[in-house]
Coordinates of all heavy atoms in Angstrom, one line a residue:
F67 N 117.1 11.3 175.4 CA 117.4 12.7 175.8 C 116.5 13.7 175.2 O 116.8 14.9 175.2 CB 118.9 13.0 175.5 CG 119.8 12.2 176.3 CD1 120.4 11.0 175.8 CD2 120.1 12.5 177.6 CE1 121.2 10.2 176.5 CE2 121.0 11.7 178.3 CZ 121.5 10.6 177.8
L163 N 129.3 22.0 177.3 CA 128.5 22.0 178.5 C 127.6 23.3 178.6 O 126.5 23.2 179.1 CB 129.5 22.0 179.7 CG 130.1 20.6 180.1 CD1 131.4 20.8 180.9 CD2 129.1 19.8 180.8
L166 N 124.5 22.7 176.2 CA 123.6 21.6 176.6 C 122.6 22.1 177.8 O 123.0 22.8 178.7 CB 124.4 20.4 177.2 CG 125.0 19.5 176.1 CD1 125.9 18.5 176.9 CD2 123.9 18.7 175.4
R167 N 121.4 21.6 177.7 CA 120.5 21.8 178.8 C 120.9 20.8 179.9 O 121.5 19.8 179.6 CB 119.0 21.5 178.4 CG 118.8 20.1 178.0 CD 117.3 19.8 177.9 NE 117.0 18.4 177.4 CZ 117.0 17.3 178.1 NH1 117.4 17.4 179.4 NH2 116.8 16.2 177.6
P168 N 120.5 21.1 181.2 CA 120.8 20.1 182.2 C 120.1 18.8 181.9 O 119.0 18.7 181.5 CB 120.1 20.8 183.5 CG 120.2 22.3 183.2 CD 120.0 22.4 181.7
G169 N 120.9 17.7 182.0 CA 120.4 16.4 181.7 C 120.6 16.0 180.2 O 120.3 14.9 179.8
G170 N 121.2 17.0 179.4 CA 121.5 16.7 178.0 C 122.8 15.9 177.9 O 123.5 15.7 178.9
A171 N 123.1 15.4 176.7 CA 124.3 14.5 176.6 C 125.2 14.9 175.4 O 124.7 15.5 174.4 CB 123.8 13.1 176.3
V214 N 137.8 14.5 178.4 CA 136.3 14.2 178.6 C 136.1 13.8 180.1 O 135.2 14.3 180.7 CB 135.8 13.1 177.7 CG1 134.4 12.7 178.0 CG2 135.9 13.5 176.2
E215 N 137.0 12.9 180.6 CA 136.8 12.5 182.0 C 137.0 13.6 183.0 O 136.4 13.5 184.1 CB 137.7 11.3 182.2 CG 137.3 10.0 181.5 CD 138.4 8.9 181.5 OE1 139.6 9.3 181.9 OE2 138.1 7.8 181.2
A217 N 136.4 16.8 182.4 CA 135.4 17.9 182.2 C 134.3 17.8 183.3 O 134.2 16.8 183.9 CB 134.8 17.9 180.8
N218 N 133.5 18.8 183.3 CA 132.5 18.8 184.4 C 131.2 18.1 184.0 O 130.1 18.7 184.2 CB 132.2 20.3 184.8 CG 131.5 20.5 186.1 OD1 131.6 19.6 187.0 ND2 130.7 21.5 186.2
F219 N 131.3 16.9 183.6 CA 130.1 16.1 183.3 C 129.7 15.3 184.5 O 130.6 14.9 185.3 CB 130.3 15.1 182.1 CG 130.5 15.8 180.8 CD1 131.7 16.0 180.2 CD2 129.4 16.3 180.1 CE1 131.9 16.6 179.0 CE2 129.5 16.9 178.9 CZ 130.7 17.1 178.3
S220 N 128.4 15.0 184.7 CA 128.0 14.3 185.9 C 128.1 12.8 185.7 O 128.2 12.0 186.7 CB 126.5 14.6 186.2 OG 125.7 14.2 185.1
E221 N 128.2 12.3 184.4 CA 128.3 10.9 184.1 C 129.0 10.8 182.8 O 128.7 11.5 181.8 CB 126.9 10.3 184.1 CG 126.9 8.8 183.8 CD 125.5 8.3 183.6 OE1 124.5 9.1 183.6 OE2 125.3 7.1 183.3
V222 N 130.0 9.8 182.7 CA 130.7 9.6 181.5 C 130.6 8.1 181.2 O 131.0 7.3 182.0 CB 132.1 10.1 181.5 CG1 132.9 9.7 180.2 CG2 132.2 11.6 181.8
K223 N 130.1 7.7 180.0 CA 130.2 6.4 179.5 C 131.2 6.3 178.3 O 130.9 6.9 177.2 CB 128.8 5.9 179.0 CG 127.7 6.0 180.1 CD 127.8 4.8 181.1 CE 126.6 4.8 182.0 NZ 126.7 3.6 183.0
Y243 N 129.3 8.6 175.5 CA 128.6 9.8 175.7 C 128.7 10.3 177.2 O 129.1 9.5 178.1 CB 127.1 9.7 175.4 CG 126.3 8.7 176.2 CD1 125.6 9.2 177.3 CD2 126.3 7.3 176.0 CE1 124.8 8.3 178.1 CE2 125.6 6.4 176.8 CZ 124.8 6.9 177.8 OH 124.1 6.1 178.6
A244 N 128.5 11.5 177.4 CA 128.6 12.1 178.8 C 127.4 13.0 179.0 O 127.0 13.7 178.1 CB 129.9 12.9 178.9
V245 N 126.9 12.9 180.2 CA 125.7 13.6 180.6 C 126.0 14.9 181.4 O 126.9 14.9 182.3 CB 124.8 12.7 181.4 CG1 123.5 13.5 181.8 CG2 124.4 11.5 180.6
K246 N 125.4 16.0 181.1 CA 125.5 17.2 181.9 C 124.7 17.1 183.2 O 123.6 16.8 183.1 CB 125.1 18.4 181.1 CG 125.1 19.7 181.8 CD 124.7 20.9 180.9 CE 124.8 22.2 181.7 NZ 124.4 23.4 180.9

Side-chain angles (χ1 to χ4, degrees):
F67 294 96
L163 282 160
L166 276 174
R167 66 167 175 81
V214 175
E215 289 170 344
N218 194 28
F219 291 103
S220 61
E221 179 186 3
V222 176
K223 301 283 188 180
Y243 66 95
V245 180
K246 177 176 176 179

